[in-house]
Amino acid sequence: MKWKLFKSKEDLQNKHYSLEPYKKRFYLFNTKYWKNSYKCERSSSFLVEGLLGGMPTHLFRLGVAAKAIEQVMNIKPVVILKKDKDNNRKMFESFGIDEFVYLNEVSPNANKKFLILVEMIRFFTKCNVNGLLNIKYKKINIGKLVYDNILHSNKDCYTIEKIEVKHIKYIFNALMYAAKYETLIEKNNVDLVLLSHNEYIEYGTLAVAALCQNREVITVNDVEVSKYSLPQELYWHKRFNSNIIKNLKKIDNIELQNEGNQYLNERIYGNEGLFDTKNAFGNKKIYTREELREQFAHNDNKNVFIFMHVFSDAPHLSAMVMYRDYYDWITDTLKIIKCVKDVNWYIKVHPAAYLYGETEKIREILEIDNYNNIFFVPDDFNAASIKGVADAVVTCQGTVGIEAGCMGIPVIVTGKPFYADFGFTLCPKSKTQYYEMLQNCNHIKKLSNAKVQKAMAVMGAFNRAKYIDMTILDNEVYEYAGYGKRIDYDKAYNKIIKNMRDKAYEDIFLYKKVKELITDLK
């Protein structure tokens, strides 16, 4: 009998799934909500990454996007789960999705297993961190997914200096996930995959497998709705950079500058909406240069602000990073700046660091109390303060780089963020060049008007490229869905239900956005 990869509702009708009360409420509401939605009768299908379906925000985005794709392309969504006892199946069923596939039942063929063996042997011949970072599945890098997954999964693990035995399983798992996903794509002639997350092993390797087979990938997350088919576009910053370039070519620059200025003002005054922006700008104090001088420096040296990243949160979001991770970057940077005495160095901890329990750890790790030229900014420091107090900004690839550029503040970046290479950033090509830039910060000058205008146009193009919709997934949902200080899925699902009640599914902005995105794929 031919083995069937996809299992419909009928295949598992006797299976028992138990749901928590808050999930059951959402299931009952959502089932009625999508009852009359479009239903494909064809056998052709596309894959939906369902491993993150246990989180309210990811479930909602994936379900809504899947239904939009089903309607436009007339192909069935098939959700990937880990095993058949996963009760996230019921949650996806509430969207009118009834076909599923389970990774624990997928076995790659002999050729794929041999490919995994060869790559593992290649790694063991070097068995170092660079070897890990350069692991590939076929011709596509997955080593960066592995590296980021190790940091993300191990408490208080902020960098990898040497390979340990426990790291081997991550490498093998990444290769096996990619092989299993590719098997699903090949055997079922899938042309498209949908996911809400393409960082880390379990989710990112689905995109890798699709790109290995020249398939389209659609990603829907809290800041983007995008489709891509090129390996370099696995990286978030590259996807946005490509879309910004398109917008700069087709839209008048003056129009984009005006949009950029408006969007910048919305961000810095905390009105733009998303939780991370509100954490950086909302309910915080705007400091003056005089107030900082009185509290810290007691001199008129130039002020350079170093905006940190979350150590554990995917340092390889761009294809090019000068350092192996954010910990490596900040500790190396400190070695240089502690000797640059004619500059006041201010360190700003990332506003999301508390989500990972890093806020206090960072202060312990950096140990800057012994230096009279390096300071942590006050806890109530509004990032918008840099407009009046910063002479330069340093970051790997933070969004602060484009905000600072729009304010006329020169920015040094050590990665390749979406706003790099437009002429208003300083992008060192080597660590030696980076050190020289840090050592010469006391001589750095404000950006010219032409560069500020360029930064504003890029900001406007970025605003056009991003996706943010707060009508269903608002800040209250995010607060309780894992992005705030207290997780409460009961409240998160209840708020989603409340926000959906007065809207037809055709009117959900995400639904319309995905339909618009994929119209040309029909």
Side-chain angles (χ1 to χ4, degrees):
M1 183 176 70
K2 185 178 179 181
W3 178 45
K4 192 175 181 181
L5 285 178
F6 293 167
K7 294 196 174 184
S8 67
K9 182 181 290 186
E10 289 73 21
D11 291 325
L12 293 173
Q13 60 184 350
N14 295 320
K15 292 283 185 180
H16 173 69
Y17 295 92
S18 60
L19 294 176
E20 296 91 334
Y22 60 84
K23 284 188 176 181
K24 188 174 291 184
R25 284 196 301 274
F26 178 82
Y27 172 82
L28 293 173
F29 169 82
N30 207 42
T31 300
K32 294 178 181 178
Y33 189 86
W34 295 93
K35 183 177 180 180
N36 298 317
S37 63
Y38 181 84
K39 190 75 173 174
C40 173
E41 299 299 332
R42 293 174 58 193
S43 59
S44 54
S45 56
F46 66 97
L47 290 175
V48 182
E49 177 275 303
L51 277 61
L52 276 172
M55 297 180 67
T57 51
H58 293 281
L59 173 74
F60 178 81
R61 285 195 292 264
L62 288 167
V64 171
K67 297 302 290 183
I69 294 170
E70 182 180 26
Q71 179 178 355
V72 174
M73 300 187 68
N74 195 28
I75 54 178
K76 289 184 178 181
V78 179
V79 176
I80 304 170
L81 299 174
K82 281 189 176 181
K83 54 189 178 181
D84 63 5
K85 293 183 180 179
D86 191 334
N87 66 10
N88 288 329
R89 173 186 170 115
K90 295 296 290 183
M91 304 303 281
F92 281 105
E93 283 181 357
S94 70
F95 287 92
I97 298 171
D98 58 13
E99 292 202 12
F100 299 84
V101 63
Y102 304 99
L103 283 175
N104 67 341
E105 298 180 2
V106 180
S107 179
N109 61 26
N111 288 337
K112 287 183 174 55
K113 290 178 180 177
F114 179 73
L115 183 152
I116 292 172
L117 176 62
V118 169
E119 192 61 28
M120 292 295 293
I121 292 173
R122 184 179 292 119
F123 167 73
F124 280 120
T125 59
K126 295 181 180 179
C127 205
N128 57 30
V129 176
N130 285 335
L132 186 156
L133 283 168
N134 288 298
I135 289 171
K136 291 180 173 60
Y137 182 78
K138 296 191 172 178
K139 293 184 178 180
I140 300 181
N141 181 287
I142 63 170
K144 292 172 182 176
L145 296 175
V146 176
Y147 192 104
D148 290 1
N149 211 128
I150 293 171
L151 297 189
H152 194 71
S153 303
N154 292 276
K155 184 176 175 57
D156 298 337
C157 177
Y158 304 137
T159 190
I160 302 174
E161 296 179 340
K162 63 180 182 179
I163 299 300
E164 301 176 23
V165 173
K166 66 180 180 181
H167 297 157
I168 307 303
K169 71 173 183 179
Y170 289 93
I171 299 169
F172 177 79
N173 286 344
L175 292 165
M176 184 58 72
Y177 265 102
K180 286 189 173 191
Y181 284 135
E182 190 178 27
T183 299
L184 287 175
I185 292 168
E186 289 175 340
K187 287 195 173 184
N188 298 280
N189 196 27
V190 171
D191 292 326
L192 173 71
V193 301
L194 167 68
L195 59 162
S196 66
H197 210 306
N198 67 346
E199 291 84 40
Y200 310 123
I201 291 171
E202 293 180 345
Y203 333 112
T205 49
L206 174 56
V208 168
L211 297 178
C212 282
Q213 291 294 314
N214 299 312
R215 305 305 203 260
E216 290 278 353
V217 179
I218 292 180
T219 294
V220 289
N221 58 39
D222 51 15
V223 292
E224 69 172 319
V225 174
S226 60
K227 63 179 174 67
Y228 48 99
S229 56
L230 300 175
Q232 59 266 34
E233 292 180 321
L234 274 171
Y235 301 97
W236 184 90
H237 284 282
K238 178 59 180 176
R239 295 198 296 275
F240 269 85
N241 180 264
S242 298
N243 288 328
I244 285 170
I245 291 172
K246 290 175 186 176
N247 285 334
L248 288 172
K249 288 180 178 178
K250 69 181 182 182
I251 303 171
D252 179 73
N253 267 26
I254 299 298
E255 181 180 345
L256 288 176
Q257 287 171 28
N258 291 334
E259 282 191 27
N261 185 52
Q262 180 180 347
Y263 178 55
L264 174 68
N265 286 327
E266 289 174 354
R267 285 183 64 85
I268 66 178
Y269 291 113
N271 298 321
E272 187 265 344
L274 275 181
F275 58 94
D276 56 346
T277 303
K278 287 186 175 293
N279 284 340
F281 299 104
N283 300 317
K284 301 285 181 70
K285 177 181 176 180
I286 298 290
Y287 277 79
T288 65
R289 190 175 289 261
E290 290 71 25
E291 287 172 326
L292 285 180
R293 183 188 300 119
E294 291 174 4
Q295 188 166 345
F296 296 106
H298 306 293
N299 61 49
D300 293 319
N301 290 341
K302 289 197 172 181
N303 298 330
V304 178
F305 285 75
I306 299 174
F307 278 74
M308 291 186 60
H309 302 262
V310 178
F311 289 145
S312 309
D313 191 22
H316 295 96
L317 286 176
S318 67
M320 191 286 288
V321 283
M322 187 178 295
Y323 290 90
R324 64 178 181 267
D325 52 51
Y326 297 138
Y327 177 93
D328 187 28
W329 163 70
I330 191 63
T331 52
D332 195 48
T333 300
L334 283 173
K335 291 176 184 177
I336 302 301
I337 66 172
K338 67 183 182 182
C339 300
V340 184
K341 301 292 187 179
D342 56 356
V343 171
N344 301 317
W345 302 95
Y346 291 94
I347 295 177
K348 175 73 169 66
V349 175
H350 194 280
Y354 72 90
L355 290 174
Y356 300 82
E358 292 183 6
T359 304
E360 294 306 318
K361 291 283 185 181
I362 288 170
R363 295 177 180 272
E364 295 174 14
I365 290 168
L366 299 190
E367 297 181 337
I368 65 171
D369 293 340
N370 297 327
Y371 303 105
N372 58 11
N373 63 327
I374 308 175
F375 319 95
F376 281 112
V377 300
D379 291 338
D380 63 346
F381 182 87
N382 187 322
S385 300
I386 62 172
K387 186 173 184 179
V389 303
D391 295 293
V393 163
V394 181
T395 182
C396 277
Q397 50 197 11
T399 308
V400 66
I402 189 170
E403 294 163 351
C406 291
M407 298 174 189
I409 303 167
V411 183
I412 301 172
V413 295
T414 60
K416 196 167 185 179
F418 65 87
Y419 54 83
D421 296 333
F422 289 106
F424 62 88
T425 54
L426 297 169
C427 304
K429 303 299 183 185
S430 65
K431 290 184 180 180
T432 299
Q433 192 174 15
Y434 176 51
Y435 299 158
E436 290 173 354
M437 288 181 181
L438 293 175
Q439 291 163 345
N440 289 298
C441 272
N442 199 35
H443 305 291
I444 205 163
K445 296 181 179 179
K446 291 283 186 182
L447 298 182
S448 65
N449 288 336
K451 289 183 177 181
V452 172
Q453 290 171 358
K454 187 65 176 183
M456 280 292 189
V458 172
M459 178 67 96
F462 170 63
N463 185 43
R464 293 273 184 115
K466 69 176 176 54
Y467 159 82
I468 293 179
D469 176 37
M470 306 293 289
T471 55
I472 306 296
L473 302 181
D474 58 21
N475 269 324
E476 187 174 339
V477 174
Y478 280 110
E479 174 69 24
Y480 292 115
Y483 299 86
K485 294 184 178 180
R486 184 164 67 90
I487 297 175
D488 190 331
Y489 282 3
D490 189 344
K491 291 184 177 179
Y493 276 114
N494 282 344
K495 191 60 164 64
I496 290 174
I497 291 171
K498 181 180 179 181
N499 292 342
M500 290 172 69
R501 284 192 188 280
D502 61 346
K503 293 177 179 63
Y505 66 83
E506 300 96 332
D507 296 326
I508 296 175
F509 183 72
L510 175 60
Y511 189 83
K512 294 190 287 188
K513 181 74 173 176
V514 174
K515 286 181 65 176
E516 175 187 316
L517 180 77
I518 61 173
T519 298
D520 63 339
L521 292 179
K522 291 180 65 177

